[in-house]
Amino acid sequence: MAHLPTGTVTFLFTDIEGSTRLLQETGDRYVEILGAYRSLIRAAIQEWGGREVDTQGDAFFIAFPRARDALSAAVAAQRAMSRHPWPENAAVRVRMGLHTGEALGTESGYVGMDVHRAARICAAAHGGQILLSQTTRDLAAERLPEGASLRDLGAHRLKDLAGPHHLFQVVAAGLLTGFPPLRSLDVLPNNLPSHLTSFIGREREIVEVKRLLATARLVTLTGAGGAGKTRLALHVAVSVLDGHPDGVWFVELAALTDAALVPKTVASVLDVPEQPGRPMVETLVDALRAKTLLLVLDNCEHLLAACATLSERLLLACPSLKILATSREALDIPGETVRIVPSLSLPDPRNPPPPEHLRRYEAVRLFVERAALIHPGFTLTPDNASAVAQVVTRLDGIPLAIELAAARAKVLTVEQIALRLDDRFRLLTGGGRTTLSRHQTLRATMDWSYHLLSENERVVLRRLSVFAGGFTVEAAEAVCAGKGAETHEVFDLLAQLVNKSLAVAETQGLEARYRLLETVREYSRERLEESGETVRTRTRHRDWCLALVERAEPKLRGPDQQIWLDRLDTEHDNLRAALEWCGASTDSGERGLRLAAALPRFWEGRAYYAEGRMWLEAMLAKGGAASSLLRARALNGAGVLAYRQGDYERVLTLCTEGLTLSEQHGDRRGSAQALHFLAHVVQARGDYGRATEMMERSVALFQAEGDEAGVANSVDCLGEIARSRGDYERAAVLTQQAMTLYGKAGDPRGLVHVLHNLAYVRLHQGAPEEAAALFRESLIRARDLKRTPAVLMGVAGLAAARTADMQPKRVARLLGAVDALLRTAGIHLEPAEHADFEQTAASVRARLGDDAFASAWRSGHDMTLDEAVDDALAPAAAVPEPASGTTPDPLTAREREVVALVAQGLSNRAIASRLVIAERTAEGHVQSILNKLGFNSRAQ
């Protein structure tokens, strides 16, 4: 919102006190009242140069460049409302709050603590009252509105804000002056502690916990140590103070070691005296029976039985009592509602956002704010953004860990903090002296949780540390069973770890998976080392991974390949961990080679070319006593991946040795595979005759082996060789034959490739419409199968087939997108694909000229894969040709969604429904996008 003031800005918040009551009293006339109120506010804003930032219901958020103008506008608005003839003599009282601070602007308005301060100052006011912060008072005091003065109201604690805030009230002719005490924390019965640091994020959790408390009488917040359960509970407690006339009372239990002291501690907080000879629980019941209050029981995990017994007794006997508890494990009594406190929101490390968007994430905001407290002047910059994102992600978004890491910003750069996280338990120390001892270091927090476990639970937790990226129950049973935890006990022990917030349960599709937070995993791994069980446990993990991949390997060809590719992708981190162990272990040479040799189809299918080659070459170098047949399989697999990267010299070396070993052992499938990729290398060098002869030998060997998918693949590639040499009739016959063979073999991945080959054949035969239909089908299939290389080839192919009906700049943009995405992914086009790509690019360059082509090509470099696919599949008219000499404007994400739905033939109404557009005139909103994109009016 570029029109808003920048720099130092004064924020004004207003709303109508008791608006719900006013609505009930005035009925239909409330609309008239609300309209008049808005008009009066806006008139004052306009007169004094304010900018309306946001309006919701009866609330206004306004910004002023100068504090004195904001104050003058507030006084003018209050005076105007006091003079206004409200219908039915309604008592319309508006509260106002002003605060001056730094404006942190976004596309939609302002963010930051100064905005929150202004809102909370307004919330503390009464109807008709204008409150100012100390900062605003200092800036506006010299030039107050005529006849106005300021009354010092002293310091007040406000909801959600750290520390007391000095507030002032405006006194002026025409304004009300006598008000009750401010709605601050100081005037409501409570013992809630005041925090010296701000509370970051958790908006969704706050809303959810408040909603739960409205209907449930016992809500327990659970979560890992340091997850912020206590801070969240206190924040919620502050926000519900108004609803508990007998107060909100915080009971800290962490320091207790004797369960018998729990009732006495609660009584002490509530100032309930002990009665000699009578159980304290009964005395508490009598004291609370008629009270409406909220009891916050903090840190119950080490006193679960005592807390559960007391809570159940009080809730049964005291109908207006509610309890909000925090614990790493639920109390497990009737009527309890459990809410897990998750980690703070994090950026995706696999797809990091631009630096300017990192502040959207709670974990990043927490680190930046706490680091700035320790090291004044610290800010998030493009230079340190990547390191900040790495730190908070590796710390799992755990608030305690992030705060401890931020404390190191005084002596280390963020980059140094990130590098030292491998030794996080030594780095993350130094909590404040007044902090609970177990929160002063990350290790102390983990020690606290670990020592609350039974010995069997500790055994399983230690052994689970060998998993990376998650695990299933079956995997946990296979790896963790043994002395201290029999197979049939592992699931129950795992469930207990979940209940105690040390393991996380998640659902992926129809399967339940579990994982340890990285901090828990590293701590448990240290404990595993201390136990002397590392070798045994990591070896069992390696063997579990080996069994999985050897079961999956034959399934990676045929109708179930997608299921197994997804399964291996889910376990990819575990496979990496197993391969690392094989590389480090002195006696895992053969098993490491078996593990790697079973994975080339997975690595190829998911385009992990470089990583797959690295593991295969490493295991080949370490192979030891591995059989030569196993070595041949690994050599051929590495050759396949080298070919995908365009490293043809390495393909010759690897596959030539693989072919020799395969032939020595009579392995026809291995020989066929080696010949297949050697033929591709010969094809790339232009020797089509020799390439054809070698590929035909590959076909014969696959046929002799009864490998239908292998036959189909090599026949398909014979068609590709024919296409490369310009023999399109033979190419058409071979690709049609391959399509039939793929169908019989039930190989959907192969169908993607053969459809693509046939599309290029039809294109060269002068049938662009048929070619475009084939490219479209191949592209959609590839997208559904998550085959990134085939998706990119499909985009390029579809652009080539549609050069007649698609604008040339759009074709150039798509080619630029494909080029950039191929380079980013490290994918090398096959010879025939490369030749066709270059031919299309040359054709479009000739039509556009060098400069226009280069400009459109560069604009494609900014497209994501999904954007390129949507653009390629959209109708020709969906993206109009820019005016001559201009650079095409990139489509917004919303516009691309509309384009994709238009391509499906949907009406405006259906598109609006699909996109869940919130605007009142949703269909008109869709039409405005269509108009911008050059569509004619569509049926409603």
Side-chain angles (χ1 to χ4, degrees), residues 15 19 41 44 73 95 108 169 185 300 380 432 437 459 534 563 634 642 696 719 732 823 878 909:
D15 64 23
S19 55
I41 292 288
R95 53 185 181 175
S108 58
Q169 176 191 324
L185 302 187
C300 301
L380 184 67
S437 59
V459 166
T534 296
I563 296 171
E696 286 175 342
R823 293 174 187 276
R909 183 173 302 166

Short mmCIF file of all heavy atoms in Angstrom, two decimals, residues 15 19 41 44 73 95 108 169 185 300 380 432 437 459 534 563 634 642 696 719 732 823 878 909:
data_model
loop_
_atom_site.label_atom_id
_atom_site.label_comp_id
_atom_site.label_asym_id
_atom_site.label_seq_id
_atom_site.Cartn_x
_atom_site.Cartn_y
_atom_site.Cartn_z
N ASP A 15 -12.93 1.97 18.02
CA ASP A 15 -14.09 1.08 17.86
C ASP A 15 -15.20 1.54 18.79
O ASP A 15 -14.99 2.36 19.69
CB ASP A 15 -13.73 -0.39 18.07
CG ASP A 15 -13.27 -0.72 19.47
OD1 ASP A 15 -13.61 0.03 20.40
OD2 ASP A 15 -12.57 -1.73 19.65
N SER A 19 -20.72 -2.60 21.02
CA SER A 19 -21.41 -2.57 19.73
C SER A 19 -22.47 -3.67 19.63
O SER A 19 -23.53 -3.46 19.01
CB SER A 19 -20.40 -2.71 18.58
OG SER A 19 -19.61 -3.88 18.74
N ILE A 41 -15.89 9.65 11.41
CA ILE A 41 -14.47 9.29 11.54
C ILE A 41 -13.72 9.69 10.27
O ILE A 41 -12.63 10.30 10.33
CB ILE A 41 -14.31 7.78 11.81
CG1 ILE A 41 -14.83 7.42 13.20
CG2 ILE A 41 -12.85 7.36 11.65
CD1 ILE A 41 -13.97 7.87 14.34
N ALA A 44 -12.98 13.41 9.91
CA ALA A 44 -11.85 13.85 10.74
C ALA A 44 -10.51 13.38 10.15
O ALA A 44 -9.51 14.11 10.17
CB ALA A 44 -12.01 13.32 12.16
N ALA A 73 -7.19 14.87 15.06
CA ALA A 73 -8.25 14.13 14.39
C ALA A 73 -9.10 13.36 15.41
O ALA A 73 -10.33 13.30 15.30
CB ALA A 73 -7.65 13.16 13.36
N ARG A 95 -14.14 4.37 21.71
CA ARG A 95 -12.85 4.40 22.41
C ARG A 95 -11.73 4.54 21.38
O ARG A 95 -11.83 4.01 20.26
CB ARG A 95 -12.66 3.17 23.27
CG ARG A 95 -12.84 1.84 22.56
CD ARG A 95 -12.75 0.71 23.55
NE ARG A 95 -12.89 -0.60 22.90
CZ ARG A 95 -12.75 -1.75 23.51
NH1 ARG A 95 -12.47 -1.77 24.82
NH2 ARG A 95 -12.90 -2.89 22.87
N SER A 108 -0.14 -5.23 2.26
CA SER A 108 -1.50 -5.04 2.73
C SER A 108 -1.63 -4.06 3.89
O SER A 108 -2.72 -3.86 4.42
CB SER A 108 -2.08 -6.40 3.18
OG SER A 108 -1.27 -6.96 4.18
N GLN A 169 -4.50 10.41 29.19
CA GLN A 169 -5.86 10.64 28.68
C GLN A 169 -6.00 12.08 28.21
O GLN A 169 -5.50 13.01 28.86
CB GLN A 169 -6.90 10.35 29.76
CG GLN A 169 -8.33 10.65 29.34
CD GLN A 169 -9.29 10.60 30.51
OE1 GLN A 169 -9.12 9.79 31.41
NE2 GLN A 169 -10.29 11.48 30.51
N LEU A 185 -4.42 -5.04 32.95
CA LEU A 185 -4.26 -6.23 33.79
C LEU A 185 -4.22 -5.88 35.28
O LEU A 185 -4.48 -6.74 36.12
CB LEU A 185 -2.98 -6.98 33.40
CG LEU A 185 -2.86 -7.44 31.94
CD1 LEU A 185 -1.63 -8.31 31.78
CD2 LEU A 185 -4.10 -8.19 31.50
N CYS A 300 2.90 -29.82 34.69
CA CYS A 300 2.32 -30.93 35.47
C CYS A 300 3.00 -32.27 35.22
O CYS A 300 2.68 -33.26 35.90
CB CYS A 300 0.83 -31.08 35.12
SG CYS A 300 -0.18 -29.63 35.45
N LEU A 380 17.15 -8.31 10.02
CA LEU A 380 17.13 -9.33 8.96
C LEU A 380 17.48 -8.66 7.64
O LEU A 380 16.84 -7.69 7.24
CB LEU A 380 15.75 -9.97 8.88
CG LEU A 380 15.58 -11.13 7.90
CD1 LEU A 380 16.39 -12.34 8.36
CD2 LEU A 380 14.12 -11.51 7.77
N GLY A 432 18.49 -16.67 31.12
CA GLY A 432 18.58 -15.70 32.21
C GLY A 432 18.66 -16.36 33.57
O GLY A 432 18.19 -17.48 33.76
N SER A 437 15.82 -23.53 35.94
CA SER A 437 17.13 -24.11 35.63
C SER A 437 17.09 -24.98 34.40
O SER A 437 18.03 -24.99 33.61
CB SER A 437 17.62 -24.92 36.84
OG SER A 437 16.70 -25.96 37.14
N VAL A 459 15.10 -46.69 26.29
CA VAL A 459 15.72 -47.61 25.34
C VAL A 459 15.19 -47.36 23.93
O VAL A 459 15.95 -47.21 22.97
CB VAL A 459 15.47 -49.08 25.76
CG1 VAL A 459 15.82 -50.04 24.61
CG2 VAL A 459 16.28 -49.43 27.00
N THR A 534 25.22 -48.12 19.45
CA THR A 534 25.14 -47.45 18.16
C THR A 534 25.36 -48.41 17.00
O THR A 534 24.58 -48.43 16.03
CB THR A 534 26.16 -46.30 18.09
OG1 THR A 534 25.82 -45.32 19.07
CG2 THR A 534 26.17 -45.66 16.71
N ILE A 563 3.51 -46.07 -6.76
CA ILE A 563 3.36 -46.33 -5.33
C ILE A 563 4.72 -46.52 -4.68
O ILE A 563 5.01 -45.96 -3.62
CB ILE A 563 2.48 -47.58 -5.11
CG1 ILE A 563 1.05 -47.31 -5.62
CG2 ILE A 563 2.47 -47.99 -3.64
CD1 ILE A 563 0.18 -48.54 -5.63
N ALA A 634 25.63 -52.24 -10.37
CA ALA A 634 25.91 -50.90 -9.89
C ALA A 634 26.55 -50.04 -10.98
O ALA A 634 26.23 -48.84 -11.12
CB ALA A 634 26.83 -50.96 -8.67
N ALA A 642 24.66 -41.10 -15.19
CA ALA A 642 25.63 -40.26 -15.90
C ALA A 642 25.08 -39.83 -17.25
O ALA A 642 25.29 -38.69 -17.69
CB ALA A 642 26.95 -41.03 -16.08
N GLU A 696 19.20 -52.70 -31.19
CA GLU A 696 18.52 -53.94 -31.62
C GLU A 696 19.04 -55.14 -30.83
O GLU A 696 18.27 -56.04 -30.48
CB GLU A 696 18.72 -54.15 -33.12
CG GLU A 696 17.88 -53.19 -33.96
CD GLU A 696 18.15 -53.31 -35.44
OE1 GLU A 696 19.23 -53.88 -35.80
OE2 GLU A 696 17.32 -52.86 -36.25
N GLY A 719 12.91 -46.00 -32.16
CA GLY A 719 12.12 -44.98 -32.84
C GLY A 719 12.75 -43.60 -32.68
O GLY A 719 12.72 -42.78 -33.61
N ALA A 732 7.62 -43.59 -36.74
CA ALA A 732 6.20 -43.72 -36.39
C ALA A 732 5.84 -45.17 -36.13
O ALA A 732 5.11 -45.50 -35.17
CB ALA A 732 5.33 -43.13 -37.49
N ARG A 823 18.52 -26.37 -16.02
CA ARG A 823 19.82 -26.07 -15.42
C ARG A 823 19.77 -26.18 -13.90
O ARG A 823 20.69 -26.71 -13.26
CB ARG A 823 20.27 -24.67 -15.83
CG ARG A 823 20.57 -24.51 -17.31
CD ARG A 823 20.88 -23.06 -17.67
NE ARG A 823 21.01 -22.87 -19.10
CZ ARG A 823 22.12 -23.08 -19.79
NH1 ARG A 823 23.21 -23.47 -19.15
NH2 ARG A 823 22.16 -22.89 -21.09
N ALA A 878 -5.39 -17.19 -23.81
CA ALA A 878 -5.38 -16.93 -22.37
C ALA A 878 -4.31 -15.93 -21.97
O ALA A 878 -4.43 -15.24 -20.98
CB ALA A 878 -5.17 -18.23 -21.60
N ARG A 909 -18.95 -18.38 -12.62
CA ARG A 909 -19.51 -18.78 -11.34
C ARG A 909 -18.78 -20.01 -10.80
O ARG A 909 -18.43 -20.08 -9.62
CB ARG A 909 -21.00 -19.08 -11.49
CG ARG A 909 -21.69 -19.45 -10.19
CD ARG A 909 -23.19 -19.55 -10.41
NE ARG A 909 -23.71 -18.28 -10.92
CZ ARG A 909 -24.93 -18.14 -11.46
NH1 ARG A 909 -25.71 -19.18 -11.57
NH2 ARG A 909 -25.33 -16.96 -11.90
#
